[in-house]
């Protein structure tokens, strides 16, 4: 059975690498039909197929089909493996993630809580998977406006992952999220403490390619900008810009950073520097999305407003 699952995942990876999503769906549906011909021998494969179908449909925003596939995986796992194992909790976590993206935060929170309880019954509350569910539950709470409960979940997750090897990026992102949440509830002292911890963690992975690094720095810079600490905000935006150029080139994140820097420069009264950043942002957006894209037009409008206000 183990070799059959290895074959399944290997063939699935090949199709994802080809970039043909229609081919991925065809493969999964064909494998499902094949596995259903011998359900007693291949139930484990069928659980895997439904789980992957759920993830696939979620990735292409076909949420109803995603939930339906996860429900099938859930039913099979409950019958074959029971409701007190990590695999069952993983399916609940995946289904909850789809519900959250659908905007059904009530159902998402319910499923995340159920996954948390499964991990507790299974004695796996010291695992990274358990911490991941807590992080996901925090997102659902945050999107429901339940900030204090979101903070509690992130604090629990942080207590688990801070001492885990190889989790520095996740620690940085968690402190970054806590900065935002503490700011939202008006606890500026804790927000600043979490900001410093986030920066320390981000610095430890500054030489690695990390999709969260630049976005995290930008988020922290935005917090400092809102606090009126323009010099520190500018320093973080510069660091984010250099990092993005180094690993990813002039992508959309780079354009957004230029635009954000322009706002800081404008607030500091450095209109020439602000205009230069907006010109760069407009150029990046036009190259990526074309002259008529919303981002391109927004950057051009901001630049025009700035020049008019400056009398240029």
């Amino acid at each position: 059975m183990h070799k059959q699952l290895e074959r399944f995942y290997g063939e699935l990876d090949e199709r994802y690498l080809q970039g043909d999503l229609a081919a991925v769906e065809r493969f999964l549906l064909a494998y499902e039909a094949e596995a259903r011909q011998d359900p007693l021998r291949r139930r484990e494969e069928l659980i895997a197929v439904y789980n992957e179908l759920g993830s696939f449909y979620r990735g292409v925003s076909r949420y109803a089909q995603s939930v339906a596939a996860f429900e099938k995986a859930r039913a099979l796992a409950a019958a074959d493996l029971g409701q007190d194992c990590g695999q069952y909790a993983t399916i609940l976590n995946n289904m909850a993630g789809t519900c959250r993206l659908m905007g059904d935060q009530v159902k998402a929170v319910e499923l995340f809580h159920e996954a948390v309880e499964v991990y507790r019954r299974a004695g796996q509350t010291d695992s990274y998977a358990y911490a991941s569910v807590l992080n996901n539950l925090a997102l659902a709470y945050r999107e429901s406006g339940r900030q204090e409960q979101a903070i509690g979940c992130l604090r629990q997750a942080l207590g688990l992952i801070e001492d885990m090897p190889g989790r520095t990026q996740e620690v940085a992102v968690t402190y970054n999220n806590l900065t935002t949440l503490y700011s939202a509830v008006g606890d500026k002292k804790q927000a600043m403490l979490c900001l410093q911890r986030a920066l320390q963690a981000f610095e430890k992975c500054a030489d690695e390619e990390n999709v969260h690094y630049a976005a995290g720095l930008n988020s922290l810079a935005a917090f400092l900008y809102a606090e009126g600490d323009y010099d520190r905000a500018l320093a973080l935006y510069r660091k984010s810009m250099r990092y993005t150029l180094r690993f990813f080139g002039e992508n959309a994140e780079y354009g957004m950073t230029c635009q954000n820097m322009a706002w800081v420069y404008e607030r500091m009264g450095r209109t020439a520097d602000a205009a230069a950043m907006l010109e760069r942002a407009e150029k990046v957006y036009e190259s990526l999305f074309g002259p008529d894209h919303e981002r391109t037009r927004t950057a051009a409008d901001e630049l025009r407003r700035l020049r008019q206000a400056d009398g240029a």
Side-chain angles (χ1 to χ4, degrees), residues 27 85 110 117 169 200 222-223 248 250 252-253 262 295 308:
F27 168 75
C85 64
E110 177 187 320
E117 289 305 316
Q169 295 179 14
Q200 290 168 7
F223 170 77
F248 306 105
E250 293 187 354
E253 187 77 47
R295 290 191 184 186
Q308 288 173 348

Side-chain angles (χ1 to χ4, degrees), residues 46-265:
L46 205 49
I47 292 170
V49 170
Y50 284 133
N51 203 32
E52 290 298 332
L53 269 171
S55 298
F56 170 79
Y57 285 133
R58 182 176 59 201
V60 294
S61 303
R62 291 159 65 178
Y63 298 129
Q65 288 170 282
S66 175
V67 170
F70 284 134
E71 283 285 9
K72 290 177 181 178
R74 177 185 187 178
L76 284 174
D80 277 19
L81 307 172
Q83 299 182 21
D84 293 328
C85 64
Q87 189 170 350
Y88 186 76
T90 296
I91 295 168
L92 293 173
N93 181 44
N94 289 339
M95 193 188 311
T98 298
C99 291
R100 188 179 71 80
L101 290 175
M102 291 172 69
D104 189 350
Q105 304 305 336
V106 173
K107 185 63 175 178
V109 167
E110 177 187 320
L111 289 167
F112 283 135
H113 268 297
E114 191 176 345
V116 165
E117 289 305 316
V118 171
Y119 279 122
R120 286 176 180 165
R121 292 197 302 268
Q124 298 180 23
T125 55
D126 59 349
S127 66
Y128 179 71
Y130 179 70
S132 295
V133 173
L134 290 173
N135 267 309
N136 292 336
L137 178 56
L139 279 173
Y141 276 142
R142 179 177 174 179
E143 291 165 0
S144 304
R146 297 157 72 177
Q147 314 288 15
E148 294 286 358
Q149 287 164 293
I151 289 171
C153 285
L154 288 182
R155 281 294 185 188
Q156 287 184 64
L158 198 56
L160 290 170
I161 65 174
E162 254 189 314
D163 295 327
M164 289 182 180
R167 299 298 177 187
T168 306
Q169 295 179 14
E170 288 91 335
V171 169
V173 170
T174 304
Y175 272 121
N176 182 13
N177 292 336
L178 280 168
T179 300
T180 302
L181 286 167
Y182 277 122
S183 177
V185 300
D187 192 337
K188 301 299 183 184
K189 181 179 178 181
Q190 281 297 325
M192 290 302 295
L193 286 172
C194 288
L195 182 145
Q196 293 301 328
R197 294 287 181 85
L199 289 176
Q200 290 168 7
F202 274 129
E203 282 308 302
K204 292 178 182 177
C205 50
D207 292 327
E208 306 168 8
E209 185 175 326
N210 174 7
V211 295
H212 301 295
Y213 184 86
L217 291 182
N218 285 350
S219 175
L220 296 172
F223 170 77
L224 292 170
Y225 171 79
E227 292 295 302
D229 193 342
Y230 302 132
D231 288 327
R232 290 182 70 197
L234 198 59
L236 289 185
Y237 280 134
R238 286 195 186 110
K239 186 175 290 188
S240 172
M241 179 184 290
R242 290 195 297 269
Y243 182 90
T244 303
L245 278 176
R246 176 184 175 188
F247 287 106
F248 306 105
E250 293 187 354
N251 61 6
E253 187 77 47
Y254 178 81
M256 290 170 60
T257 305
C258 293
Q259 206 167 357
N260 292 336
M261 287 180 71
W263 296 338
V264 181
Y265 278 132

